[in-house]
Amino acid sequence: MSRKSLLITGASAGIGAACARLAATRGYDLVLTYNSDRAGAEAVARQTRAAGAETTLHQLDVAEPDAIAALFADIAHLDGLINNAGIVAPSARLTEMDHARLRRMFDVNVIGAMLVAKEAVLRMGKGGVIVNVSSAAARLGSGNQYVDYAASKAAIDTFTKGLSDEMAGDGIRVISVRPGIIDTGIHAKGGEPDRADRLAPAVPMRRKGDAAEVAQAVLWLLSDHASYVTGTTLDVTGGR
Ligand code: NDP
């Protein structure tokens, strides 16, 4: 059976990297992107190639439309997209957030993801799957932490529903996954390296999640086992 082609943005670390490693064992050839962590991305690519996946690596800041266009100039066909690249910013109240912070949050988490999805559906023909990586923050709101991030992920959930309605007739499914407190480097990037451990006791399952657990959900959604699932969100939150 021929291998399917899958693009994963933000595959140099965390959830994107875990998805890449699992996808390589599930018959996908991979186009992986990273933004700043080339060494991390190369390490992931070594693992996916060792697992049998043809893998290409591209640097991409999803906030740069020209960079998105350049990436897709090299991609003729796609079967799947994991729209995963995303950022947080340090905890703050809205009254402490300036325009530059809000602009960057939405350029990366929303507009970047929408432009990547646009180029992906243009290369899917009749059939394909997009999994947008949202967050439980989309329904929790993240007051006193980062309402900008939460609002950006809520936008992704609404975008997921709308795009799924647009593409269902073409056999393209669009779903968003909402991770909860997952043990990745994103918390340190937001200035709180101990955030996942600190919040773990408040999770109904009393623990943080692992990126590999999110990857299992994402790869199920990409698979034909989820053939009647579209236009919806799946929480991977330990009940949070
Ligand atoms: P990480 O910080 O570990 O990984 C983020 C990835 O996104 C990296 O590969 C990074 O690239 C890439 N990235 C960051 N900024 C850009 C950009 N401007 N353009 C392109 N790529 C970029 O985070 P996670 O794995 O935790 O996060 C992955 C997704 O999951 C995000 O969308 C996040 O919002 C979401 N999520 C995470 C949760 C968690 O608890 N961890 C909870 C809910 C949602 P590089 O390192 O090369 O710069």
Side-chain angles (χ1 to χ4, degrees), residues 89-105:
S91 277
R93 291 165 65 89
L94 178 66
T95 48
E96 298 156 347
M97 295 178 192
D98 61 12
H99 180 264
R101 169 174 168 148
L102 298 179
R103 181 84 259 173
R104 179 74 184 164
M105 189 65 66

Side-chain angles (χ1 to χ4, degrees), residues 2 12-13 18 26 65 101 137 141 143 146 168 172 177 193 203 225 237:
S2 68
S12 53
R26 299 271 178 93
R101 169 174 168 148
Y146 25 62
I172 296 173
V177 164
V203 175
H225 296 295
T237 61

Side-chain angles (χ1 to χ4, degrees), residues 3-82:
R3 296 177 70 90
K4 291 186 170 183
S5 56
L6 174 65
L7 168 64
I8 307 176
T9 63
S12 53
I15 292 168
C19 288
R21 286 189 285 265
L22 188 59
T25 69
R26 299 271 178 93
Y28 292 93
D29 286 333
L30 301 170
V31 180
L32 305 180
T33 79
Y34 64 95
N35 184 29
S36 59
D37 184 4
R38 184 182 177 90
E42 283 174 345
V44 174
R46 275 194 296 277
Q47 292 170 320
T48 58
R49 287 177 186 130
E54 192 178 294
T55 303
T56 58
L57 272 187
H58 298 261
Q59 195 278 331
L60 172 70
D61 179 346
V62 294
E64 299 290 340
D66 291 347
I68 294 175
L71 166 70
F72 278 95
D74 288 342
I75 300 175
H77 174 79
L78 275 181
D79 296 299
L81 163 66
I82 304 176

